[in-house]
Structure formats: C-alpha cells, structure tokens
Amino acid sequence: MTGSTGDATVTADWIRSLPKAEVHVHLEGSFELIDLLELAKAAGEPLPGPAATLFDLGTHHGFAVPEVTTGGGRDNGAGVGGLTGFLRFLDWQCGLVRTREQAARHAYRFAARQSASGVAYTDVIVNPTHWRAWRGREAALLAALAAGFDEAEQDGLCAVGICVSLLRQQSSAEGADVARWIARDRPHRVVGLSVDGDERAAPRSGARFAEAFTIARDAGLGRTVHTGESSGPDSVWEALDLLHAQRIDHGIRAVEDPVLLRRLADDGVSLGVCPHSNITLGLYPDLARHPIGRLVAAGVTVTVNTDDPAPLRTTLEAEWLAVAESLGWDRERVVRLALDSVAASFAPAETRERLRAQLERVPLAA
Ligand code: ADE
Ligand code: ZN
C-alpha cells in the first residue's frame, strides 16, 4: 500500500499527533500475539499453530474453510471465503477469555493501543457471540469490559464507547432481545447497536433485524451495520431503509450503485472503510483498485479504520497514511478525515465538540 503522497509532511508521526476517532474496529480483532500467548497458557489450551504464523490468514491453522469464489476478489487463500475462517479464528481467540480480570485487561490494553495511534475516542464493536465462556452472561462480559475502559480513561487513555453487535446469522427474536436488553438496562458505556459477521452466510438480513434496530432507534442508541463488504448494494439499501443505519461498516460495494451513492451523500451516512482489511481478506488486489477514491469523488463521507488491527497487522496511522498517499491528500484533507471521524462517532456531544475544536487549531503548514 504505497504510493506518492501529495504532501510530504503527511507522515505517520503527524497523523499520530492528530486527535481523532476510530469508528470501525472490533474488540475481537485486537488481541496481539502476546495477549494470545498469555491467555492460551492461562486456559491450558495449545496454540492452533506456530506463534510466528498465527496471524497468517492463508492458513487459519485449521479454521480455514474451502474457498468460495465470488468473482470480484483475488483468490489468495484468504479471499472472501477466508472471512469465514477468519471469524472462526476470532471465536477461538475470544474463547480464551474466561475471567472478569482477563476481559477488563483486554479492554484496558485496547484503549492503550488506541492511544498509541493518537486516537482520542473509539466506538468499539463487541459481538458477545464470539465470547464462548460468557454465553448467558453477556451483561457480565460488558460490565467487565466497561471496567477496563473506565480504568483506561481514568489513566488518561482513549475514551471508548461500545457498540453491541448482533451476529448476522442470529434470528429476528434474538436480535430484538439484545436490542430490548441494551435499551432497557443501558449497560455502562454502550452507545449503539451493530451487526457484523459474514454477509455471505446470511446475505439479506435487513428485514430480520428491522425490529431490533427500530428498538435501538426509538431508544436513542446509535446504529451501525456491516454491509456492502461481501454483499452488494441491495444490502446497503436495506441497512438504510430497514435498519435506520447512521453509519455503514465497509459499504464499499455501494460504489456499484450511483443512486445509492447519492442517497448516502444526501443523508450524510458515512462509510467506515477499512482498506487493508478489504485487501487482506481478498476483496481487492491493492489500494489502487480499491473503491475508496471513487466513493470520496461521489461525495460520500468516508472514515478510514482498521477493522481487526492485530490479526490484520495494521495500525490506524498506517491506514490513514496509505490512503493519503494513494489519493494525494494534503494536511488539510487529512484533518478533514479526522473531523469526519469525530463527527461520525457516537461520542458524547461535548467530546465531539472538544475534538473538533482541537482539530481546527491544528497547523496546516509544517
Ligand atoms: N467481524 C470482525 N471482522 C469482520 C469483518 N471484516 N466483517 C464482518 N464481521 C467481522
Ligand atoms: Zn468490521
């Protein structure tokens, strides 16, 4: 993901220095190798493969599923079909977290890593279905994570809001139960409802989750929906029309539908784009052929995010730098990206206002 930047002063260090938000990142995709080594040892479980290659997505160390060709993507062994194996790998990782202390520690470390990238606020996605040991105790899981985020914020680290995520294959009743639970109990730090998982395993899930997302909207919760990653524009339309989505996670395949692009632009619905994730999981061969530039040119607001930074071996500053280089963005345009990230977040209004004011004071000359 290299190219020639339009502005040599747009560097990783400068990007790190910007107060910004990340709005599409999964807590499940934030276990570093050292975390997994410690957790696996504590659980008495062997690693599924050698430590050095644990994040090699082509192998998935037994989590791989046969590749299914979708036409658009590169068949690199990770591929779009690789998303299914990848999600199973996330199940294995989260299954190692057994205690309240371990969950809180993971949350704290997540906030610290966000701070290391200069992220001031994060909407993190937490999908309780990945966390095997917490089945039936989802409230306890969220409470443990929130305690870790509280400690982190008290220590001056990144502030974090939680988007509770439904798994795409869940039933309508399960989705509505989750939405009712978070709308009623308002678990600490929960700011929104999300859907994630493999779009190809349950491609048209809009109607199924309409009740859940209507409950979330009526309760004033944020709504963000994974769609337009491996499924096409139709599912993005469903997220807008049936799920009242305020943000779309990925949404890149909206590029195939000019009417949809206009709707996204007119309604100010932003796309939480994750270029390196899309390339690693085989949707596009490289950044030059990634649709982000065409989405921006169509007037759609995009944010740039990491998705699953640890197993995908990326950082937010690497993502932003790669996009800035590829699209020839100068400092002013990158500050705009930071402003858009803050505006798209479900952070409290005073946090958004404080970060906006800080960003407006960033010097644009080196
Ligand atoms: N959960 C974690 N990463 C994901 C992705 N890229 N797509 C869908 N669900 C996910
Ligand atoms: Zn995602």
Side-chain angles (χ1 to χ4, degrees):
M1 296 210 304
T2 54
S4 60
T5 177
D7 182 344
T9 71
V10 173
T11 62
D13 281 344
W14 180 76
I15 290 169
R16 259 191 299 276
S17 77
L18 295 176
K20 54 193 167 295
E22 182 166 17
V23 297
H24 181 177
V25 56
H26 301 257
L27 195 64
E28 293 83 12
S30 304
F31 293 94
E32 298 290 345
L33 182 60
I34 182 69
D35 303 327
L36 296 175
L37 293 170
E38 287 173 4
L39 288 167
K41 194 178 279 183
E45 279 202 23
L47 294 182
T53 61
L54 204 60
F55 295 151
D56 286 2
L57 300 182
T59 62
H60 286 307
H61 299 292
F63 300 100
V65 290
E67 183 66 29
V68 182
T69 307
T70 55
R74 175 181 55 153
D75 183 357
N76 64 355
V80 182
L83 180 60
T84 311
F86 181 66
L87 296 175
R88 286 192 201 159
F89 179 68
L90 300 190
D91 285 337
W92 171 78
Q93 297 188 129
C94 296
L96 298 173
V97 176
R98 311 277 163 88
T99 70
R100 188 191 169 285
E101 289 68 31
Q102 289 170 336
R105 211 71 229 129
H106 182 53
Y108 186 93
R109 289 183 188 197
F110 172 82
R113 289 181 194 120
Q114 293 298 93
S115 294
S117 291
V119 181
Y121 175 84
T122 305
D123 282 336
V124 73
I125 297 165
V126 176
N127 183 327
T129 68
H130 285 294
W131 305 71
R132 184 165 29 94
W134 299 84
R135 227 152 263 164
R137 297 190 301 131
E138 289 82 2
L141 171 64
L142 290 191
L145 298 174
F149 293 137
D150 282 351
E151 188 188 341
E153 199 172 334
Q154 279 153 21
D155 289 352
L157 300 174
C158 179
V160 181
I162 299 172
C163 294
V164 176
S165 200
L166 308 175
L167 186 69
R168 191 161 295 279
Q169 293 94 323
Q170 284 185 283
S171 69
S172 178
E174 285 169 330
D177 281 350
V178 170
R180 262 191 292 273
W181 159 48
I182 62 173
R184 186 191 60 226
D185 291 3
R186 297 295 172 140
H188 184 41
R189 288 194 177 266
V190 169
V191 293
L193 183 67
S194 148
V195 185
D196 64 8
D198 189 349
E199 290 163 38
R200 290 185 322 156
R204 301 295 295 266
S205 46
R208 192 147 30 86
F209 294 133
E211 186 185 0
F213 276 81
T214 299
I215 292 167
R217 181 197 58 186
D218 293 349
L221 288 160
R223 283 99 49 202
T224 185
V225 176
H226 271 65
T227 186
E229 181 187 25
S230 49
S231 64
D234 284 358
S235 61
V236 182
W237 279 109
E238 285 187 352
L240 298 176
D241 290 337
L242 302 177
L243 304 183
H244 327 292
Q246 295 162 298
R247 294 197 307 249
I248 302 290
D249 295 319
H250 298 296
I252 42 191
R253 290 194 54 199
V255 78
E256 297 164 23
D257 180 344
V259 182
L260 177 58
L261 290 175
R262 204 168 320 122
R263 167 82 183 270
L264 291 165
D266 288 349
D267 289 5
V269 173
S270 62
L271 304 183
V273 176
C274 304
H276 182 69
S277 167
N278 300 151
I279 293 163
T280 306
L281 293 172
L283 289 164
Y284 302 97
D286 51 37
L287 196 49
R289 275 167 281 188
H290 190 282
I292 185 165
R294 282 178 284 150
L295 294 166
V296 171
V300 176
T301 301
V302 301
T303 62
V304 174
N305 306 271
T306 58
D307 210 9
D308 297 289
L312 296 176
R313 296 180 171 122
T314 190
T315 63
L316 195 62
E317 57 272 37
E319 299 286 335
W320 284 34
L321 184 60
V323 169
E325 286 181 348
S326 167
L327 300 183
W329 284 358
D330 60 8
R331 281 190 172 203
E332 188 174 356
R333 184 60 185 85
V334 177
V335 169
R336 199 25 228 298
L337 176 67
L339 286 164
D340 287 343
S341 74
V342 170
S345 77
F346 300 144
E350 59 272 20
T351 304
R352 280 184 278 134
E353 180 48 34
R354 177 172 44 83
L355 295 176
R356 190 193 61 73
Q358 288 173 8
L359 284 164
E360 285 188 345
R361 289 195 297 271
V362 169
L364 297 179

